[in-house]
Amino acid sequence: MPYTEDRTTWYEGQGLWSDIPEDQWKDWTWQLRNRITTLEQLEERMTLAAEEREGCRHANQKLAMAITPYFFNLIDRDDPDCPVRKQVIPRAGEMEVSAEEMLDPVGEDSHSPVPGLVHRYPDRVLFLVTDRCAAYCRYCTRSRLVSNAQDYNFHPEFEQGLAYIESHPEVRDVLLSGGDPLLLSDKKLDYLLGRLRQIPHVEFIRIGSRIPVFMPQRITEGLCDVFRKHGPIWMSIHVNHPKECTAELKDACERLSFAGVPLGNQSVLIKDVNDDTDVMKSLIHRLLRMRVRPYYIYQCDLITGSAHLRASVCKGLEIIKSLRGHTTGYAVPQYVIDAPGGGGKVPINPQYIAKIDDDAIHFRNFEGKLYRYPLKSFTIDDDCRCAEKEIEC
Ligand SMILES: *Cc1c(COP(=O)(O)O)cnc(C)c1O
């Protein structure tokens, strides 16, 4: 069924937990303590499909299950195909491993000079500061270490990581991730951000977090004060479907924005969740309304047991084609594949260039009409002339 955009409703409320006092519901530690983590807790609240029951039985050997009450409310319990449900409830497919899948699909461990720090690009590092999240995405690219279901025994080494960054003046950009950095206490974050700010060559600090989406209650004024104190801190959140854009998330994004935190969004393209032009268009429009700039759409990494969740690359291209030129430029994210084995993120774009010859570059606009821009007055090198062939999907 085609997805119809709902422009007016921002879901809010305590749903299944309406008997809980509001101050508890709004307390993020209550949300954490009351997460759904077992098959039994899940079955008390909804009827599962056989493949979900099977998935839950095995989750603790792969990636733990955890769903905050807030996020659980976003699941349509009567719809086995609910796009929110598929992101957090394990299914049997997780136990099926195909030949192309890997435990470390983007080769992070081989680019890790000290435990918990990935230095792949010349000027920036990925700093993994915890192995825990508020809830677990079933397609997690770091499931080898996140939640510790696979006994990886990751222990974040703040001091080793900080020492590495201090001694590498080429590192101007530090990305805190994990796990989810916003699970750390305000005090720990204050310490970490303070230490990073003391390093003169670190110009840019950002945090990758899905906590605003899983547990917007975590975005307290106290946390916002930490960001104000050490700002500018940038943040990438992770919203996959317009159903996740609730009144609570909108408020959390507003608090972050007003604390001076520029917000971007990273979506993962997931089969039957958001591999659809109407769903994506609705999502990015909602993001803009929440002050969030769509940043990346990721092709799903080849993580073990993800075949049932991975959407096709042609769908990704079709989505970008349907957006660029057809809606606000700010709303259009960059579609990327994180190259299997460790090549980094590579932009994957629809083919707009038709031909480059000595006279002109010939290209198509968003309507498919052909245009040309003369090149007579420029030198054209071979790299440029050799335009790629038309891709057919
Ligand atoms: C994604 C990523 C970054 C940040 O990449 P940007 O394109 O700058 O957002 C940095 N390091 C690693 C290892 C990454 O995977």
Side-chain angles (χ1 to χ4, degrees), residues 45 49 60 68 81 96 101 128 131 134 140 146 164 177 183 200 214 218 225 239 253 256 268 325 327 335 381:
R45 292 173 177 87
N60 284 334
T68 55
D81 296 322
E96 290 162 24
E101 291 177 343
L128 308 179
D131 62 349
C140 178
V146 163
Y164 181 89
S177 183
L183 273 192
F214 282 145
R218 173 70 184 95
D225 284 341
V239 191
C253 291
L256 288 166
V268 178
T327 191
Y335 177 42
D381 57 36

Side-chain angles (χ1 to χ4, degrees), residues 59-325:
N60 284 334
Q61 286 106 60
K62 205 224 164 205
L63 173 71
M65 173 176 69
I67 311 169
T68 55
Y70 161 82
F71 198 73
F72 186 81
N73 271 338
L74 305 185
I75 293 175
D76 181 347
R77 288 170 288 131
D78 298 324
D79 177 8
D81 296 322
C82 167
V84 178
R85 179 173 185 150
K86 287 182 177 161
Q87 296 182 50
V88 287
I89 297 184
R91 283 185 286 163
E94 289 183 20
M95 305 316 293
E96 290 162 24
V97 179
S98 53
E100 72 271 21
E101 291 177 343
M102 294 167 264
L103 278 173
D104 179 15
V106 298
E108 293 183 329
D109 290 346
S110 60
H111 283 92
S112 183
V114 300
L117 194 129
V118 185
H119 194 176
R120 165 159 25 255
Y121 301 104
D123 70 337
R124 55 208 191 280
V125 293
L126 172 68
F127 192 0
L128 308 179
V129 294
T130 171
D131 62 349
R132 300 301 147 114
C133 292
Y136 295 109
C137 311
R138 304 321 304 173
Y139 47 86
C140 178
T141 192
R142 242 166 254 137
S143 55
R144 68 186 185 285
L145 65 91
V146 163
S147 91
N148 202 33
Q150 300 182 21
D151 296 323
Y152 187 98
N153 282 319
F154 171 70
H155 297 288
E157 301 283 352
F158 288 5
E159 296 307 321
Q160 272 192 55
L162 289 166
Y164 181 89
I165 297 165
E166 278 162 351
S167 62
H168 285 78
E170 71 275 23
V171 177
R172 45 163 289 285
D173 171 0
V174 176
L175 162 52
L176 300 182
S177 183
D180 200 312
L182 298 192
L183 273 192
L184 302 184
S185 65
D186 292 358
K187 203 173 145 206
K188 267 211 170 120
L189 281 167
D190 182 32
Y191 171 77
L192 252 180
L193 296 174
R195 285 287 305 273
L196 288 170
R197 272 288 170 245
Q198 280 165 21
I199 306 174
H201 52 268
V202 173
E203 308 170 348
F204 189 75
I205 302 175
R206 49 177 157 167
I207 296 175
S209 173
R210 205 178 185 188
I211 274 188
V213 177
F214 282 145
M215 195 169 66
Q217 296 81 5
R218 173 70 184 95
I219 312 304
T220 58
E221 270 313 306
L223 180 67
C224 289
D225 284 341
V226 174
F227 295 146
R228 270 189 210 98
K229 176 174 166 192
H230 301 289
I233 305 293
W234 291 54
M235 192 179 292
S236 294
I237 66 171
H238 173 177
V239 191
N240 285 328
H241 192 279
K243 277 188 76 172
E244 295 158 52
C245 300
T246 63
E248 285 94 337
L249 175 60
K250 190 165 179 272
D251 288 348
C253 291
E254 195 150 289
R255 291 194 289 280
L256 288 166
S257 276
F258 291 171
V261 179
L263 296 169
N265 183 64
Q266 321 193 90
S267 296
V268 178
L269 198 63
I270 307 170
K271 193 162 143 191
D272 301 328
V273 169
N274 58 8
D275 60 339
D276 176 278
T277 53
D278 294 330
V279 169
M280 271 298 178
K281 194 172 268 181
S282 171
L283 171 64
I284 60 174
H285 287 162
R286 282 203 165 219
L287 289 169
L288 289 192
R289 290 167 74 190
M290 301 193 309
R291 301 181 158 81
V292 181
R293 162 83 155 101
Y295 180 43
Y296 282 143
I297 293 179
Y298 289 104
Q299 178 61 25
C300 188
D301 290 332
L302 294 168
I303 186 69
T304 50
S306 64
H308 62 299
L309 292 165
R310 294 200 307 269
S312 101
V313 171
C314 291
K315 265 284 173 216
L317 283 169
E318 184 192 323
I319 287 167
I320 301 301
K321 243 182 180 164
S322 78
L323 300 178
R324 175 59 68 197

Side-chain angles (χ1 to χ4, degrees), residues 1 13 20 79 143 172-173 309 329 336-337 372 378-379:
M1 226 173 44
I20 300 296
D79 177 8
S143 55
R172 45 163 289 285
D173 171 0
L309 292 165
V336 293
I337 300 182
R372 69 190 286 282
F378 308 110
T379 325

